[in-house]
Structures are given as structure tokens and as C-alpha cells.
Amino acid sequence: MNALRTTILLAGMTALFMGVGYMIGGTGGMALAFLFALGTNAFAYWNSDKMVLSMQGAKEIDPRSAPELYQMTQRLADNAGLPMPKLYLIATDQPNAFATGRSPDKGVVAVSSGLVKYLDSREVAAVIAHELAHIKNRDTLTMTVTATLAGAISMLAQFGLFFGGSRDNNNPLGFVGVIAMVILAPIAAMLVQMAVSRTREYEADKDGAEICGDPMALATALEKISSLSKRTVNEAAERAPAMAHMYISNPLSGARMDNLFSTHPNVENRIAALSQMASSVRGGGGGQTPRQRVNPIEANVRPGQSWRTPGTRPRPDDGKPSGPWG
């Protein structure tokens, strides 16, 4: 049902894009808008991951710089039947994460330094599993397409304000129609984009909980992320708000309600769904059985431990591994 809903929403976005072209230049404008949409999406298909990572200031990490995090991600990827994705670090104290890449073979998972600082090993594993679910479901490509089309629709609407009001361009509604289009088309595109994002987040929560085998770990991770994000500014996300829907939780200040203009579902609704999933599994009530849980001990991480972030000194407690950063 979610896949069908996403397909319908994407079709609506494409139709809206072509409708804006028709309002600007009639059937010829509609054809040009369609060709432009193909071009922008082709560019986004091949370059979206590089653009997103660059805009968020992410730096690649490897097994030497983060051995435990890398090992955990590898085990989760195996559990999900995916190739090992590339791992990136976002230098922000706000706990968050996102996935990108045009296909599972080109998958990328980016985590913030705040995520490994404030969340324990079970919760970090659950967040990574959520992002792997996005990669497996090809949500990263879907969301890139919707973001690209939404931006192009807004640009075309502004273009139509200057060139869509003349009488010789086959515009069916004249200048009044153009004014309405300039106001309403970007809003409609934003609503479709937000609807696609919220649809895929619920599905990734469910699939991510199955990948890590621990629905309540994802629930507590979402609760911590939501609470801490309200008190921490993610400067890279604020500079590129169009990418906010890619994060596991809204990284922007404000607009955190489950309404038409929210990029993410209400966190309480997501936690309730995960709690119901966990109860169904425990009670054998017909819920899907989670896949094998990633064992924190096998990953050389103590349960409940908050991992050390880069640039800090090891803990002088028991000489055990201090986290994915060495």
C-alpha cells in the first residue's frame, strides 16, 4: 500500500510539473516542462549523493577510524541482504542520520557526531538499520526525485510570472491564472513532497526494526533524537532545508508537528507504532518476527554505553573499548 501511495504521489508531482508548463505556454510549454523534468531528474540520479553529502559537510569514515561502528553496520547490512554502504560523519552535536545513494549498490549512511555521543549502542544500531531500510526500499532515489521536482516546479512558477501572462503563448487562463499558479503550485508541490516523506518514514521504521530485531531500541532512539534536536541547531541542515526530509528526524528548528507542512511524522505516533510492533512480537500476535538481533557484545560495545566522539580522550575506567572512534 505504501509503495502504491508513493507511486500515485510521484505521478501527481509529475502531472503538476507538466500542468505548470501548460499554464506558461500551453501544450508546447507542457512538453518543454516534461523534457526539463527528465533532464533535472537524470542529473539528480547520477549526482544526488555527492550533492547531499557536500551540502551537509559530511566526511567519509573507514574501519580504521571507526572500527566498531563499521563492524556493526556491516553486520546490519548483511542482516538486511545489502552490500556494505559507505559511512560518513556529519560534524554536528545534533543527533541525527540520513541515507542517500541512487541504488543499494551505491548506498551511503551518514551519522552525526551527536548520534554516537548521546545514544547507546542498541539505539545507534537501530538508527542505522532504519537508514538501511531506506536504502533497501530505494527511498533515497524516490525522495531525491520528489525534491528535484518540487524545486523545479517552484522555479517554473516564478518563471511563469514573467512570461506566462501574454496573449500569444496559449495560456488558457491569462495573467490571473499565472498569479494563482505562482502561489498555489509551490504549495501543492511541497504538500506532495511532505506526504511522500512521511509515508516512507513509517515503512522504514518497521523495516529497520526488523533488520535490527529491536523495535524498542528504535523507539527510544527516536525519543532521544527528537528531544535533543529541539535544543541543538544543525547548521548544515538549516543552510539546505530542502534536504531536511532525508534525515531520520526533522533537523530544522520548529515545524515538528504531524501536519500537512511537516517533513516527518509525529514522533509519538512513530513510537506508538514501534511499541505495538514489539508487543505483537513478544505476544506472538501475528506480527512479523524480527531478523537476528545485532549483539552489542559481539560488536565490542557495552550495552547502554555512549560512544566516544572524535577528538576526545578515552575513558580511564576499565580499559575496554571506548567506542567506534578507537
Side-chain angles (χ1 to χ4, degrees):
M1 180 59 68
N2 280 327
L4 176 62
R5 188 181 306 167
T6 299
T7 300
I8 293 173
L9 290 170
L10 285 175
M13 182 77 84
T14 303
L16 179 61
F17 190 92
M18 296 174 67
V20 173
Y22 179 73
M23 292 294 295
I24 295 176
T27 55
M30 182 171 63
L32 288 175
F34 179 71
L35 292 175
F36 183 73
L38 290 179
T40 54
N41 282 321
F43 177 81
Y45 179 85
W46 292 106
N47 299 283
S48 60
D49 53 345
K50 302 180 185 66
M51 290 190 303
V52 170
L53 293 168
S54 176
M55 293 172 70
Q56 302 303 307
K59 304 295 183 182
E60 188 170 3
I61 53 181
D62 55 35
R64 291 175 297 179
S65 59
E68 293 161 11
L69 181 63
Y70 200 92
Q71 186 182 50
M72 174 181 285
T73 304
Q74 178 68 75
R75 195 157 24 251
L76 287 164
D78 291 343
N79 216 26
L82 290 170
M84 175 65 186
K86 291 184 178 180
L87 284 176
Y88 280 76
L89 177 71
I90 312 164
T92 175
D93 211 37
Q94 183 190 86
N96 229 316
F98 68 83
T100 185
R102 63 180 181 269
S103 69
D105 291 335
K106 301 292 184 180
V108 174
V109 173
V111 300
S112 71
S113 55
L115 188 81
V116 296
K117 178 180 179 180
Y118 295 114
L119 273 63
D120 67 33
S121 58
R122 286 178 55 242
E123 294 162 344
V124 172
V127 170
I128 293 175
H130 172 100
E131 300 306 332
L132 290 174
H134 277 308
I135 294 174
K136 186 171 185 176
N137 295 334
R138 296 180 183 268
D139 294 341
T140 51
L141 179 60
T142 300
M143 296 312 300
T144 298
V145 170
T146 57
T148 302
L149 284 174
I153 287 171
S154 298
M155 184 182 67
L156 272 182
Q158 297 297 325
F159 182 81
L161 180 64
F162 297 99
F163 299 99
S166 61
R167 296 182 178 180
D168 57 350
N169 64 355
N170 298 319
N171 183 344
L173 297 181
F175 190 71
V176 174
V178 171
I179 294 296
M181 176 191 65
V182 169
I183 297 173
L184 297 178
I187 295 176
M190 181 177 61
L191 293 179
V192 174
Q193 184 184 9
M194 299 304 100
V196 172
S197 176
R198 296 197 303 272
T199 297
R200 303 319 300 167
E201 287 303 318
Y202 280 121
E203 189 71 12
D205 283 346
K206 180 180 76 68
D207 292 345
E210 291 177 4
I211 290 171
C212 71
D214 197 350
M216 290 312 299
L218 182 55
T220 58
L222 288 171
E223 186 175 17
K224 284 185 180 180
I225 291 171
S226 176
S227 176
L228 292 169
S229 294
K230 296 175 183 178
R231 305 195 297 266
T232 311
V233 176
N234 186 332
E235 295 182 359
E238 294 288 347
R239 289 194 299 266
M243 303 299 172
H245 64 281
M246 300 184 66
Y247 281 86
I248 188 172
S249 181
N250 189 356
L252 306 178
S253 56
R256 301 177 195 279
M257 296 180 293
D258 195 6
N259 55 39
L260 288 175
F261 297 96
S262 175
T263 58
H264 293 73
N266 183 285
V267 69
E268 285 78 14
N269 294 344
R270 297 170 71 179
I271 292 173
L274 289 165
S275 299
Q276 183 178 9
M277 181 180 178
S279 299
S280 178
V281 171
R282 287 195 300 267
Q288 290 180 296
T289 302
R291 298 178 176 89
Q292 181 182 2
R293 179 178 298 179
V294 174
N295 190 337
I297 298 176
E298 291 178 359
N300 297 321
V301 180
R302 296 188 297 280
Q305 169 188 340
S306 294
W307 288 341
R308 180 169 60 90
T309 50
T312 61
R313 296 181 178 179
R315 298 179 180 86
D317 48 2
D318 54 7
K320 295 181 180 180
S322 56
W325 311 112

